[in-house]
Structures are given as structure tokens and as C-alpha cells.
Amino acid sequence: MARLSALLSVFLCLSLAAQMHILLPPQPTAPEKTAAAQLEKYLPRLSGAPLSVAVGTEPQAADPASTIRLGKSDQALQALGLDSWNDLKPDEVLYRVDEAGTLWIAGEGTRGTLYAVFEFLEREYGARFFTAECERLPKTPGALALPPPGTAFRYAPPFITRVAFYQSVLTGDPAFRVKSRNNFCAVPEEWGGGDSIIGFVHTMERFIPESHFEKHPEWFAYRDGFRDAGSMSQLCLTNQEMRQELTRQVLKALREDGGKSHFISVSQNDNKRFCVCPDCTAFVERHGNQTDLLLDCVNQVAEAVEKEFPKVYVDTLAYNYTRQPPRTIRPRANVAIRYCSIEACSFFPLESPQNQKLFQELRQWSQVANKMLIWNYVTDFTKYYLPHPNWGALAQDTRLFRDCNAINIFQQGAFNAGGPAADLADLRVYLLSRLLWDPDADDATLVREFCEAFYGPGAPAVMEYLETVTSLAQAHPEATDNCYADSTRSWMSDQELSDVWQSLYQAARACGDDPVYGPRMALAALPITMDLLDRQLLILPPEERLAPLREVDPLALCDWTLKHLKESGVASLSENVSVTAKGWGARLRSAFQHAFVLPDTPLATKRPQGLPEGLRCWGWNVEELGGKPYATSVRTIEVDKDPQADGGIAITMPNTHHEWFLQIRNLPQGVFDVYLSVRCDLKPGHPAEGVAMTFGNYPDGPEALTQATAQRLAGPEYKAIYLGRSNFYRATYFYGAPVINPNVERIWVDQIIVANPADAQGTPLTPVE
């Protein structure tokens, strides 16, 4: 009898079932209805013969061997061998085929059943969801049958919260967010909703805003002889009155959230200006370091949170000056530490010799903290498009995070308008997402499957590119680039770049007429092409170029690149959205045309003091440079009226930090003497003492750094600061930055001025080598 039953089971699996029935609970939730609709959509597509799928609610009579019971019900609880749905871990998935051949599918919370449906389709039928537009749906021989009785699967992801923080995940099809198991993002309720964190990050300013400063300056950090508020300051963490207000605001935010979030961020602002008042200094001297002080404050808040919200974690940062583990203070059980890897050498795993300091810190933190959260950086934020060969680190680091008790992983990639231009962004999203769901997944298989499906005939060239750039980076252990690299020169020579580019670009052009693979291959080739253009190897005459580049028309290559950037919707090329594709293209075209992009007429009015008389020069008002002046981590840049400035306005910034505040990249080609027109305001009653501003040009190096004193710059008149002679074929950009000086209120920058140098007879000087 048992043998007959077994043969009957095999027969049921192989028989040509003409219809399947999906039965939902009597009162299905919106995500359960969505899960049923997804099965109804995909099962016929996976069938090699016509298959109809009917969706109804329990109870309904149907053939058990062709029935799928979907969602949470008392019957499902028993069929899946559970005592309570509360026994499941976050986002846990289950499915099982019982003895009668009925398939039961369910999962934890609002998302689990949806995840279980996609897990079932992937594991049992080989479906793959690579991008929102690219899926693999292999057809079975004949009509699709359910798996045999006894088939079962149960899995809980190690991370409660998972995100590959890329543009396609954040703003793309919500169905793809669910298929890729990304849950730390906006997901509609019918798709199960998404996890969120109240405040996200750098929340001290949110909970204790600058508006409190007038009544309570003592709540804010004391630094450089004064207290200051805002995003470029911190809080005085030993101030008990401030802590009480911070606690009130955190509890208020949790009450307003209504229980939707697992986490609330109570974390420092994004700067290093921690308080050094006597009380804070004494605390640090007694207890260990700045991390101890931060934890002492956060623990106090978390104690109040635990009483009212026992299932919420208070998230704080191990970042910057708090990255080192504490010496004496231990985080409470409901305090989760978000370790940030921003200083890591990007191309090597955290366990590598290049990253040993961070690795040891992370291990120490995992022994100190009950729960860990990770903020990892997986792209190049200075130039999204630069080849970024960290492929060998992604899987290894994800497993390390799992082993260090991490429950929340934030993989920060190209998240804004430059996403499509990032180095193989679609592949990164797929690989990162699958590893966040299952860190033990084989990354080589994931990459191969994606490339074959997504790039089609171009897949071999893309996989060769991946292997080559990864090998080149690994061959340069001294290449300690982080996620803000400005060039690939540390690990790839001009010859290697040219060879890699030629191979991938030719493969992209070969697919150019294919409506599906052509655009995808063009995007794959954009990073290496843009890197090639950036290096300006094509400015040389053809006969002086490297062999792969001798027949290349630089303007045609630039136009090809800009065409595909535009078609893919790329607006910015950097985390800083002012670095636009349009501006990048204009700069490159001007370089290839060897044309000086200068104003129509030389500088004639508002010449600053100190500019040599009789000098033929050209100037730009910096506020009119089309977004080229910009701030890194600085939010206090302003354009303001100034009657002494050319045109009556200039850009200005307070002397409360030393971040670069002016970066001018769209330079004309040639050799020039460079000046900046600047001045500064003193604080009332303060002397004109100390340095007010620094200047330089990169990558000419620190030796090009120039300083200007408050004595020189003080007053209403603009002064010309000579930055030196520069070969603009080599120099990437000029910068200016304020200097923290208690005597100086703010600096003003009006113009950048260039003069074409010549000898006494007016003959242009030989270009600087």
C-alpha cells in the first residue's frame, strides 16, 4: 500500500495538471491578496503547457494535489507544524506540501507570506528576479505540477532590516523591492510595508534643534572658546537638562510613530565638533573616550524608551570620533550600535590586512553590544561612475556582519540621481540584496546568473571586466582608496585602463543595435569609458597615444557617453548632485577641442586689491558658475548681497569649520596664473589675528596650499590671493575653505581670476610639465 501511495505521489507530480487553486483565509490581508496575485501571475508563465490558476477564499472544495493554501490561518498553523505565529522570527518564511499534496505557504508579519511565495518560485521552479525588467522564468516540461508531498522549506534571514541603498531600489517598482527582499525603504502596505528607522541618522539636531540655542546655549557643544548650535555642532552630552529634553522628544517621536518602527536613531551630528566643556572633558578623562560619553547619554534615553516601548532599539553611531569601542560604559540591551565603515580601504574585505584596525574594532563592538547595526559603503561617492573593484569584499563582509550579531545592514550605494551611471549598479543591487537575505549564498553563482540573463551576448565581456578590475586592485595592496576615491590611478595604469576599456567598449558597441541588451551593455561600459575620458589620455595627438586609443575620435566617444547618460536618466555623477552629467560633458568637450572656455572679454571691473596692474586676465563670479561652487558636508554656504562684490553678490560662509567650500572643476585648458578674490568680516571687538582662509589646487598636492591671515583679508574691500601657476591639463580643481578662528565672523568669495602668463615681451610661457 505504501508503495502504491508513493507511485501515486510521483504520478501526481508528473501529471499534466490543467488547473491550480489558490485558497486564501476567509479574511485575507492586503499583502496576502498580493501574494495570491503574484502566484496567479507567475505559475502559468512557468508552465510548459496551458495552466489556469483560480484564486478564492477558504473554504472551497478543490483537488488537494493542485491546491495552494496561502497565508495565515488556524489550519495553516497546524499544517506547518507551528504552535503560534508569534514563534516566527522577523520575515521568516515557510512552505510545505502535506501528504495529500496540498501546498501551504505562509510567513511572519505582513511581508513573510509574500517573501515565501517568491522563495517558493525561486527554489522549486528556478525563477530569478534580477531587476524590475529582467526575470528568468524557465518553463517546466508539460503543465506545471506542485512539488511532491514532504517538500518543505523554512528560513529566517539573519538581518531584520536589509537595504541595498541604490536608486533603483528606493524609487523603482515596489514589486522589485519585495522580490529582492529589500525592506528598509518605502514599500506600499499591499506589498507588506517596509521597516523604517525614526530619524534615520545624525538626529541630535532633530531632537534638540538650533531653535533652543537662544534660551539654552548650555545645551550645545562648547568648542574653540564658544558654544554653537546647528548641524555643524554637537550637544553638551553631560547637561542633564538637555538629556531630559532629548528623552522627551524621543518618546514623543515613538508615540507619533504608532509602533511602525523597530529602531529610533539617537545619534551625533555629522561633524567632529564634540563638546570640550569642563564637565564633558572631565567625564571623558574619568571614563575613557568620547564613545563612553555618547553611550552614557544614549543609555539614559534608552532606559526610558524600554519602559514604554520594550521592543524598540535605540540606534546610535560608532562613527568618526565614536568609532572606537568604549572603555568603561556598556550599551544597554536595547541600544543597538551602528558601526560605520567609511574609513575602510574599499577594495579589500574588512578582515584583510588593509582594514585590520576596523576589523578589530568591529569584533570588539560585537562583544560589547547586544545588537549591532552596520552602515557600509559600497560605491564611490565622489564619482559614482568610477570602476570600484570591491566585488571580492561584498560577500565576505556580509558574512562578517552576520557573525558580529548585526541585525540591520545598510549598504549605501548610488542612491540619488546618478544611480544608473554607477559601476554595474544593477548587478550590485542584485548581488547585495541576495547576500543580505542569505549571506551564505554563492556570490560567484549569483554574478554569473545575473550577467548571463541581463547582458545576454555581452555577458562574457562583463564577467571578464569584473575579473580583470578585481585582479588589478588585488595586485595593488597599497591601493588604500576609500569610498571617496577621485581616480583609479592607484591600482590601474593608463595602459591597463586602455586595454580594459577597449574590450568592454567593443562588446557594448557590438550589442548596440539590440533593443534589450544594447542599452544595458552601454551602461556597463560607461564607468570605464568615463574614467578613460577623465584621464584625458585622448587629448594627445593620435600618434602619441597608447595603441588601443590611436583610432578613437574623442569627441565622438564623448557624444556616445553623453547620449547614454541622458537616455538612462542620469542627472548627477556624484553624491553631490551639483556634479552634473551636462557639466561633465561640457568640460570634456572643451578639453578635447583644446579651446579656452573664457569669458568673451577680459576682466574690466571690480578688480580686487593686489591684482597686478596691466595684467590681462579673465574672471568668473563664483555664484554664477552653474553649481560648481559646492560644499562637502557643509550646509551653511550662502549667496548674499555685498555691495563691494562684482555684481553686488558673493558667496559666504561662517568661520566655524574647515571644510572645503569652493571647488571649481570646469577649468579652461592651458597654463594660467590663478587668483581668488576674497575678504573676511571680523567679529565685533575682535582683533584681526590668525588665519582666516586656506586655498589650494588638487591634485597638485599639499605643497600648493596657501593661507591668508585675517589681518590681510579683513575689511570691505576684496583682495586678490595668488594661488600659483597651474597647468589646467593636470589640475583637477581649485578649492577654498574657511578656518576655525574665534576672531573671524565669516569669509566672502567673489571671483576666480586667471591670467595667461607671458614673458616681458608678451610671449606666452611654455606649458608647465
Side-chain angles (χ1 to χ4, degrees), residues 170-184:
L170 298 175
T171 62
D173 182 5
F176 177 66
R177 293 172 224 170
V178 177
K179 294 170 186 175
S180 61
R181 321 298 198 269
N182 280 273
N183 66 351
F184 185 62

Side-chain angles (χ1 to χ4, degrees), residues 346-347 378-381 383-391 421-424 428 465-466 468-470 472-473 481-483 485-492 496-497 500-501 504 524-535:
S346 291
F347 310 147
V378 294
T379 192
D380 189 306
F381 296 101
K383 296 178 178 179
Y384 281 150
Y385 57 85
L386 275 192
H388 197 67
N390 60 346
W391 301 98
D423 187 25
L424 300 183
R428 286 181 187 276
Y465 163 79
L466 287 169
T468 302
V469 296
T470 302
L472 288 174
D481 307 67
N482 64 8
C483 56
D486 193 62
S487 171
T488 58
R489 284 186 171 89
S490 67
W491 57 273
M492 186 161 56
E496 290 164 340
L497 170 62
V500 174
W501 167 79
L504 191 56
L526 280 182
I528 196 74
T529 303
M530 296 174 73
D531 188 26
L532 180 80
L533 293 170
D534 269 358
R535 288 215 198 167

Side-chain angles (χ1 to χ4, degrees), residues 340-384:
C340 304
S341 64
I342 193 168
E343 295 91 352
C345 301
S346 291
F347 310 147
F348 303 94
L350 289 173
E351 297 174 80
S352 67
Q354 290 84 353
N355 289 313
Q356 273 303 294
K357 183 178 180 181
L358 278 78
F359 171 67
Q360 295 299 332
E361 287 175 344
L362 180 57
R363 280 295 192 191
Q364 292 170 33
W365 268 117
S366 70
Q367 296 167 7
V368 166
N370 180 46
K371 296 296 182 184
M372 293 289 295
L373 288 70
I374 302 294
W375 191 304
N376 198 36
Y377 306 78
V378 294
T379 192
D380 189 306
F381 296 101
T382 299
K383 296 178 178 179
Y384 281 150

Side-chain angles (χ1 to χ4, degrees), residues 490-509:
S490 67
W491 57 273
M492 186 161 56
S493 69
D494 290 347
Q495 182 66 63
E496 290 164 340
L497 170 62
S498 302
D499 292 338
V500 174
W501 167 79
Q502 185 181 48
S503 176
L504 191 56
Y505 177 72
Q506 288 179 346
R509 294 305 297 265

Side-chain angles (χ1 to χ4, degrees), residues 230-304:
S231 62
M232 294 311 299
S233 184
Q234 300 288 355
L235 299 179
C236 180
L237 296 181
T238 55
N239 188 291
Q240 288 300 316
E241 189 179 27
M242 184 281 296
R243 288 190 183 191
Q244 293 170 10
E245 176 62 18
L246 178 62
T247 303
R248 283 195 292 271
Q249 293 302 320
V250 168
L251 291 174
K252 177 184 176 183
L254 283 166
R255 292 167 190 148
E256 293 173 349
D257 181 66
K260 293 182 291 187
S261 302
H262 285 112
F263 304 93
I264 185 167
S265 173
V266 181
S267 53
Q268 71 220 48
N269 296 332
D270 196 5
N271 65 79
K272 300 178 182 180
R273 294 182 56 74
F274 52 83
C275 185
V276 294
C277 76
D279 288 344
C280 289
T281 300
F283 184 99
V284 170
E285 290 175 351
R286 288 195 309 271
H287 294 280
N289 55 39
Q290 290 294 327
T291 307
D292 291 279
L293 177 53
L294 175 66
L295 284 178
D296 189 71
C297 176
V298 172
N299 278 346
Q300 185 171 326
V301 176
E303 184 177 6

Side-chain angles (χ1 to χ4, degrees), residues 4 56 80 87 100 135 150 166 170 176 200 236 246 266 324 332 382 391 398 498 505 512 554 674 711 755:
L4 179 61
L80 291 168
D87 294 340
E135 300 176 346
Y166 276 80
L170 298 175
F176 177 66
F200 192 40
C236 180
L246 178 62
V266 181
Q324 57 185 315
R332 290 176 55 83
T382 299
W391 301 98
T398 305
S498 302
Y505 177 72
V674 184
Q711 184 177 12

Side-chain angles (χ1 to χ4, degrees), residues 54-67:
V55 178
T57 56
E58 299 180 25
Q60 274 193 4
D63 178 7
S66 61
T67 299

